[in-house]
Amino acid sequence: MCKIGCIHEHFPPLNSLKSDEAASGPKQGPTFQDGQRRVDYVLTYHVQKPQSVRRKTSRFADYRILRSLRRSLSMMRSGDTPPSKEDPEIAAHKHRLDYHEDDKRFCQTEFEDNLREMGLELEKDEGNKIPGIGFLKIHAPWNVLCREAEFMKLKMPTKKVWPAPKWITGQFLREGSTLEPNRPQNMLFYPLLSRQILYEEWASYSVFYKYQPIGLIRKYFGEKIGLYFAWLGVYTQMLIPAAIVGVIVFLYGCATVDNDIPSMEICDPRNNITMCPLCDRACSYWKLKTACGTARASHLFDNPATVFFSIFMALWAAMFMEHWKRRQMRLNYIWDLTGFEEEEVCSYFSPDYVLITLFQDKKGKLTCTDRAPAYMMGLFIMLLMVGVTFAVVFGVILYRISIRAALHMSSNPTARSNIRATVKGTAAVINLVIIIVMDEVYGAVARWLTLLEVPKTDKSFEERLIIKTFVLKFANAFSPIVYLAFFRGRMVGRPGDYVYVIGSYRMEECAHAGCLMELCIQLCITMLGKQLIQNNLFEIGIPKIKKLIRRRKSDMDSQQQQDYNMTLQRHEKDHFLGPFVGLSPEYMEMIIQFGMVTLFVASFPLAPLFALLNNIIEIRLDAKKFVTEVRRPIAARAKDIGIWYNLLRGLSKVAVIVNAFVISFTSDFIPRLVYQYMYSPDGSMHGFVNHTLSYFNVSDFQTGTAPLQPMHLGYEVQICRYKDYRETPWSNTPYDLSKEFWAILACRLAFVIVFQNVVMLMSDFVDWLIPDIPKDISLQIHKEKILMVELFMKEEEGKKLLRDNHTNQSPFQPRSRPASHTPSNC
């Protein structure tokens, strides 16, 4: 079956809904030329030649013939040789194109005949005002709908009345009138009314505080899209308590920053602590008190409440998954999907199709041997793309190292005083731009690799595409964050024995207060940038730019364009809407956001708040896009959100481990506890900063690495300090790792094990405690099963009584004919 064109259901665009419908009265929607039969679907296809071109060809055909005859006669009179004939290869190519067009026309005719055999009624419309585009209107009669409903086992109410909303009575209906769905004339009117209700009550930013009309979304777009918006609504609703707790944790850090003893010690000018240079030669010695601002800012996100918030978010993720399962089960029951089994529909990229195109001499399906090269190529390219992501991260690392050294050598005092802020901010912005650009590249690569594998069904194609896209985009978004959280500052060495990369560039060190602040900045810029630029701005701006380009290409001015639009019919206006590309991009945005909310929430408690604010806008933005910007997709049935649930569940499990390592290795939570209970003389945090700093003798610098300006502080430095747990220069084992380092490492590993097992045990307990099926739904399903059994028993008893009466009748008495049962109509 050939693909004729894009299929979209035919309903009016909302930008002209009020003006047209209010002015012309209550229409029954788009119909055939008879004005009675409703247009249910519209198929668009390319017309071979527009009517104007055909008329032009026929008009000048005779003139071309006469001109060729005159040319031949003149050549004969002059004695010249006739021109050479047309190249046979070019002529054969033209014939092949003609054959291809004939095949397309034959395929289109066969497809239309199949539609008529199914009982559908068709009407062509090629005399429209869009050149080169034809429309095939399709009407599904009532008996066809009933037959398909029986095949799909749809449960339809015997009679149900929809009261008309009061705000519509003045425009469309009389006061107090109702809509009965079992009456055909009302069924013509209800879809148009549904779209306007969706526009007014769902796709408007002024109703952001209201619940979504999930039932109406499902009736208009189908169960698959309805489940997406239901899941998005549940996710946004569950973000409210997470955002409130995150704000409380942040405010707790703000309230206790003045009482934080380590920050006070760093900011105390009486502590004359001289620190070792941050780079070779260009950097000089510096005072610890200059890191006062970074230390105070780090306390906002690195405080005892962070551990509590990590545990809370792990339990929140478990409760969110359970809440969605219950909501999904309720929707399945309301939408009559409890007994629905998804069919494996053969995809366009089926093995039979590929065999025809690639293996003309074979008559069988693709085997594992045939698919192995595609799988190996896909695996190799996936690893290559992940390697590209790591290379980009390494390039940003080199940028930070080089720009820091350049700023230290700068003669501008302003640039030298804001080195850390400049390096952090610019590197985070560069990472954001690279992530946005590479996301588009990875999406195209994932689709190409999936096509090479030739999946058997549409479901298999979609799942493989989702997995590949998720792996690439997840690595792209989280690689810089993972580096800052777990690798930066771990492999730097020590003064006199640093680790170098690419010549004389030293590996990056963390600030004295740790890398948690830089991790927070990177996560904040990435999250906000992706949401504002990639998710929202692109979705709003790209359709506007495309519309502006179409207007620029058109020769008509604004008034002529408006008059032209008024002459178009509904399906012709809908043809200019964008195509529906599926729900995968929408889900992918939210899955990446869910990872940022849960994976590194220990370093950024405000992530749930930003996600909540974004989703409030995202729901209405997606609603407006689905209602007004894209063609209405074909309604698809689904009983769950598919593979996305497994990805969410996997992220919630990984988040527990990631947060355990962030708290243990990235923050100073464990070193502070160890100092307070093992090394503090009075059980307080006094002296913690001095305990975390080791000593270094400046005479042990390697040749060519000492500062060029050793008198930068105004005095000669003999001993400088650096953050690490190492032996002193005057000990028997100078600069070796001290026993405090191994004690803290053991405590960190123990904390990871305890935190991971306790939180996962609590999550599993929540999963066990909350049933997947709501109690009222399970009782209702149980009652329906009992009623079905009773109904079958009554039917069997009636048949048995009928047989008994039939056998007890006298052979001389006329047999009574049972009452005829009329077949139940839909």
Side-chain angles (χ1 to χ4, degrees), residues 800-810 815-816:
K800 184 178 180 182
L801 290 176
L802 188 62
R803 287 195 300 267
D804 293 342
N805 293 335
H806 180 72
T807 55
N808 292 334
Q809 281 182 349
S810 172
R815 296 181 180 179
S816 59

Side-chain angles (χ1 to χ4, degrees), residues 368-410:
C368 295
T369 306
D370 298 328
R371 297 177 185 272
Y375 291 152
M376 296 300 296
M377 180 181 292
L379 180 60
F380 173 75
I381 294 180
M382 289 279 289
L383 294 177
L384 179 63
M385 291 295 102
V386 174
V388 170
T389 301
F390 293 159
V392 169
V393 174
F394 184 71
V396 177
I397 294 173
L398 293 181
Y399 164 79
R400 279 198 293 258
I401 295 173
S402 59
I403 200 67
R404 181 182 291 110
L407 290 176
H408 276 291
M409 297 175 63
S410 175

